Amino acid sequence: MRTFAIAASIAALALGLAGPASAQSPIIIKFSHVVATDTPKGKGAEKFKELAEKYTAGKVKVEVYPNSTLYKDKEELEALQLGSVQMLAPSNSKFGPLGIREFEVFDLPYILPDMKTLRKVTEGPLGTRLLKLLDAKGITGLAYWDNGFKQMSANKKLVTPADYQGVKFRIQSSRVLQAQFKALSSLPQVMAFSEVYQALQTGVVDGQENTWSNIYTQKMHEVQKYITETNHGYIGYVVIVNKKFWDDLPADIRDPLTKAMKEATDFSNTQSQKENDDALAEIKKSGKSEIIKLTPEQDAAMRKAMEPVYKDAAGRVGQPLIDEFLKEAKSATN
Ligand code: LMR
């Protein structure tokens, strides 16, 4: 009797697995992110969805959740590790709290002179090696997506390093960014991206640093009187998946998803500059925030004031990694 029951359930299981019902239900990829749809990351996520569903002929369904609708910064990484969400694209600055400090090298002020240099790093052996560090945390790194260069905003004019003294700045969860604002004698405060607008509006913080596309789509320019065009740092993303989820996918699903990710990456990275240029134009048009440009002398003073950040970061991300990054950067500009 018992043997019969077991045999029957095995048969049912086999039927269930091979049966038409399970063949029809698609694999769901929840892709959560914290920015607006109308940003480089938001558009990249939509492009991935379109291509992934097309290349798997509907066997995969990608659900994109923008604007922190599912999770805020810190929670989304925990949710990915738990498998509650399958795909994310956090900025490089957000991996420190997981114990992966190396990605904070991207936060060093003025480390990237241009996007060409960035590409050299992310597409070379260094970029691949950094992605591999994620494995130990149950995460697979699939691609690097650009946003762009950061600008400083506040309700006071930020021109010289002395202007930053005592100003409360919202930062992402990166110790390198903390050191950057400490070098300027400012008061950095870690805060989730979704909370920045309100914190600026209510005066919980006085200022923040971000890309034009993030400033514009979060309406930060409406609650900041001045934005200084510093281009002092970079925001970019690592597209990541839950490692077990990814490894368990059959090859005939994972391969088309890999192709979709490659094409979505090319798409996102070729139009990120335009997204930021367009956002800057819209901010200018709104007249809500005054845009300040620095003279070469003022720019040099900012660079000098932030130099100590490199020494501080060496203890965190390691001097050899900084040297390697700088070497790659130099070879790209030669
Ligand atoms: C931020 O937290 O300021 C950014 O990393 C948000 C994002 O994902 O672009």
Side-chain angles (χ1 to χ4, degrees):
M1 179 66 192
R2 200 165 156 254
T3 320
F4 173 74
I6 293 171
S9 56
I10 290 173
L13 195 65
L15 269 176
L17 285 177
S22 86
Q24 274 163 15
S25 45
I27 297 168
I28 306 287
I29 296 182
K30 288 188 185 171
F31 188 162
S32 167
H33 67 81
V34 300
V35 295
T37 304
D38 217 10
T39 56
K41 177 162 58 178
K43 292 201 170 165
E46 292 301 330
K47 183 53 108 183
F48 173 71
K49 172 184 167 65
E50 176 200 320
L51 297 174
E53 291 177 355
K54 181 167 142 199
Y55 294 155
T56 61
K59 289 197 196 108
V60 168
K61 186 165 182 298
V62 181
E63 296 173 357
V64 181
Y65 297 92
N67 256 323
S68 311
T69 38
L70 273 193
Y71 304 103
K72 292 183 191 175
D73 307 348
K74 190 165 166 278
E75 292 93 63
E76 68 172 13
L77 275 158
E78 287 163 3
L80 183 97
Q81 285 182 301
L82 289 170
S84 317
V85 65
Q86 289 70 40
M87 187 174 279
L88 307 172
S91 73
N92 293 308
S93 324
K94 304 243 167 89
F95 290 97
L98 282 188
I100 316 171
R101 302 160 167 189
E102 287 82 351
F103 283 93
E104 290 178 12
V105 73
F106 288 94
D107 290 334
L108 276 163
Y110 304 105
I111 195 160
L112 288 164
D114 50 40
M115 288 306 209
K116 187 175 150 223
T117 308
L118 167 81
R119 203 73 66 226
K120 183 89 199 315
V121 173
T122 55
E123 286 174 7
L126 177 54
T128 310
R129 219 173 67 227
L130 287 174
L131 291 186
K132 271 275 157 217
L133 296 174
L134 299 166
D135 285 7
K137 304 287 172 188
I139 295 171
T140 299
L142 295 181
Y144 289 96
W145 284 4
D146 290 342
N147 186 328
F149 290 101
K150 289 184 288 189
Q151 323 301 334
M152 297 282 199
S153 75
N155 277 324
K156 67 179 279 196
K157 286 193 179 186
L158 299 170
V159 180
T160 69
D163 295 331
Y164 288 75
Q165 197 170 350
V167 180
K168 281 182 277 169
F169 277 94
R170 175 268 172 171
I171 57 165
Q172 303 185 71
S173 57
S174 153
R175 295 272 183 85
V176 171
L177 297 179
Q178 191 173 20
Q180 170 188 279
F181 282 106
K182 289 225 160 125
L184 294 168
S185 303
S186 310
L187 306 168
Q189 197 171 316
V190 174
M191 189 179 288
F193 183 65
S194 58
E195 289 161 9
V196 181
Y197 173 85
Q198 207 185 352
L200 293 170
Q201 191 186 35
T202 56
V204 170
V205 289
D206 308 309
Q208 65 83 46
E209 52 166 11
N210 229 306
T211 59
W212 293 117
S213 59
N214 277 348
I215 292 171
Y216 178 64
T217 53
Q218 297 299 315
K219 300 188 171 34
M220 294 182 201
H221 63 294
E222 297 184 3
V223 287
Q224 296 276 266
K225 290 203 183 90
Y226 304 98
I227 308 174
T228 309
E229 200 164 359
T230 46
N231 290 309
H232 64 282
Y234 168 76
I235 291 187
Y237 310 108
V238 190
V239 186
I240 56 176
V241 276
N242 177 289
K243 187 170 185 318
K244 182 165 178 355
F245 168 79
W246 191 250
D247 290 348
D248 286 351
L249 288 174
D252 67 342
I253 296 285
R254 202 170 45 235
D255 291 351
L257 289 181
T258 304
K259 179 171 142 81
M261 180 52 68
K262 189 175 176 324
E263 290 177 24
T265 299
D266 291 344
F267 167 83
S268 183
N269 289 350
T270 45
Q271 50 87 60
S272 56
Q273 182 70 48
K274 188 179 176 310
E275 291 294 324
N276 282 302
D277 292 346
D278 289 353
L280 169 59
E282 289 299 328
I283 292 172
K284 280 185 179 157
K285 209 162 82 188
S286 77
K288 297 229 155 105
S289 219
E290 184 182 323
I291 315 257
I292 300 168
K293 275 188 179 286
L294 299 181
T295 64
E297 293 73 29
Q298 287 160 346
D299 178 65
M302 286 300 293
R303 287 171 188 266
K304 180 129 193 57
M306 293 200 211
E307 260 168 23
V309 186
Y310 279 72
K311 196 148 175 278
D312 190 282
R316 179 141 175 101
V317 304
Q319 190 62 44
L321 177 60
I322 298 175
D323 289 343
E324 199 181 345
F325 204 103
L326 290 169
K327 199 168 139 227
E328 289 276 5
K330 205 156 164 236
S331 74
T333 45
N334 283 339

